[in-house]
Amino acid sequence: MTFTDAEIAYLDSQLLGRLTTIDAQGRPQIRAVGVHYNPETRTIDVVGWGLAKSQKFRNASRNPEVAFIVDDLASTNPWRPRSVEIRGRAETLTGPGVSPWGDEVIRIHPRRVVAEGLDPSGDGRYNARDLPS
């Protein structure tokens, strides 16, 4: 299993995440992007207007090692942060129908998933796991 039911429900409830790629000089670049869990491929699909012409697309094409995080606050009193962090390999795709959300996509194949605060008990527990390649 790539994602737990709680992680999928959380990802599906969110509109925005942050994608970190590595530029040609080896420096990290982080950008806010739309988040879409793709149930057919069990991946995260990053889409956007003019995506294939973007720096993040070029970065992911050159170096596919990426990190992606979605987070928010379920409550401020008590303090209850929630997040799903995904580290993995990016695949850059273009063409009609490459994703249900667009014709240009950065598809993130998870290798490690770290979730926080998704347990309904609200104890803030981390669930970190490496996935088979």
Side-chain angles (χ1 to χ4, degrees):
M1 173 191 315
T2 304
F3 296 102
T4 67
D5 290 343
E7 291 164 353
I8 292 168
Y10 178 69
L11 291 168
D12 282 345
S13 74
Q14 301 299 304
L15 300 174
L16 193 63
R18 284 168 285 288
L19 174 67
T20 302
T21 59
I22 304 299
D23 71 15
Q25 291 75 38
R27 297 177 299 221
Q29 178 198 35
I30 190 165
R31 290 289 184 261
V33 295
V35 55
H36 299 285
Y37 170 69
N38 187 329
E40 291 181 21
T41 57
R42 295 185 296 187
T43 58
I44 299 298
D45 284 2
V46 173
V47 297
W49 182 82
L51 181 67
K53 294 180 177 146
S54 70
Q55 184 66 49
K56 61 187 162 284
F57 196 91
R58 290 190 300 274
N59 290 347
S61 295
R62 184 176 35 256
N63 181 344
E65 296 301 316
V66 300
F68 180 77
I69 190 166
V70 176
D71 61 338
D72 71 351
L73 288 171
S75 170
T76 58
N77 188 13
W79 187 257
R80 275 198 51 217
R82 300 183 299 181
S83 65
V84 175
E85 175 192 348
I86 300 153
R87 300 177 205 166
R89 180 184 53 81
E91 179 181 18
T92 53
L93 303 167
T94 60
V98 296
S99 170
W101 299 278
D103 295 339
E104 301 172 340
V105 65
I106 299 173
R107 179 163 289 155
I108 304 170
H109 298 270
R111 290 189 177 142
R112 182 164 178 79
V113 176
V114 181
E116 174 189 15
L118 301 184
D119 185 322
S121 70
D123 68 3
R125 189 178 337 191
Y126 281 92
N127 176 7
R129 65 198 180 283
D130 292 316
L131 304 172
S133 298

